[in-house]
Amino acid sequence: MRIAFGSDDENETTRAVLAELRERGEVEVVDTDSWPDLGAGIGRSVVEGRADVGVVMCWTGTGTAIAANKIPGDRAALAWEPWIARGARLWNDANVLAMSLKRLAPDVAVEVTRAFLDEPEPDPDEAEAIRRLDELP
């Protein structure tokens, strides 16, 4: 699996997530401390096919998710627990996971990351709803 990762700061949580990602595949690290550029850069990596999925982290996770979602074809989801991350993959075909580097403990952030990456395909029952996302203006 090819994974694009970026964080606008570094701490114990970001290091734990990056270690988990490196165990799972080839990691492209987008290096910038500008959260808008970071989110957009990760989004481009996924949409342009350089990565299968992306993981972004900023203070709240919200800014990088918004920036990533500005890239057509990107579906970034902000998750703070495994159930949300898993559902984002299953029911929304999210291709970028956004998390808070400030509010998540390292072990929780790793669990959220695992839940996101462990769902390789969306739920076939949601195919029509997911297809409609692409039709929205």
Side-chain angles (χ1 to χ4, degrees):
M1 178 180 287
R2 294 168 304 150
I3 306 162
F5 173 79
S7 175
D8 68 350
D9 199 358
E10 182 183 344
N11 64 14
E12 188 177 344
T13 300
T14 61
R15 288 188 292 274
V17 168
L18 186 54
E20 175 67 23
L21 296 177
R22 286 187 169 136
E23 286 183 22
R24 289 177 170 262
E26 177 185 333
V27 180
E28 170 195 348
V29 176
V30 175
D31 188 21
T32 177
D33 59 359
S34 165
W35 59 262
D37 293 336
L38 179 69
I42 297 294
R44 280 189 202 94
S45 290
V46 173
V47 170
E48 293 172 0
R50 293 190 312 273
D52 300 309
V53 295
V55 177
V56 291
M57 300 182 79
C58 67
W59 198 263
T60 66
T62 306
T64 51
I66 292 169
N69 281 323
K70 293 286 189 175
I71 306 304
D74 191 57
R75 291 193 185 105
L78 176 61
W80 55 93
E81 64 177 36
W83 186 84
I84 300 291
R86 181 177 181 269
R89 290 284 287 163
L90 277 175
W91 305 316
N92 311 120
D93 196 20
N95 53 14
V96 173
L97 170 64
M99 293 184 289
S100 169
L101 64 83
K102 177 71 174 163
R103 300 298 296 174
L104 289 178
D107 61 328
V108 175
V110 168
E111 286 179 41
V112 171
T113 302
R114 287 177 181 157
F116 185 80
L117 297 178
D118 286 347
E119 290 300 334
E121 300 292 328
D123 181 345
D125 292 340
E126 292 297 321
E128 177 62 21
I130 292 167
R131 184 190 60 73
R132 290 199 28 81
L133 289 174
D134 292 330
E135 296 173 353
L136 295 173

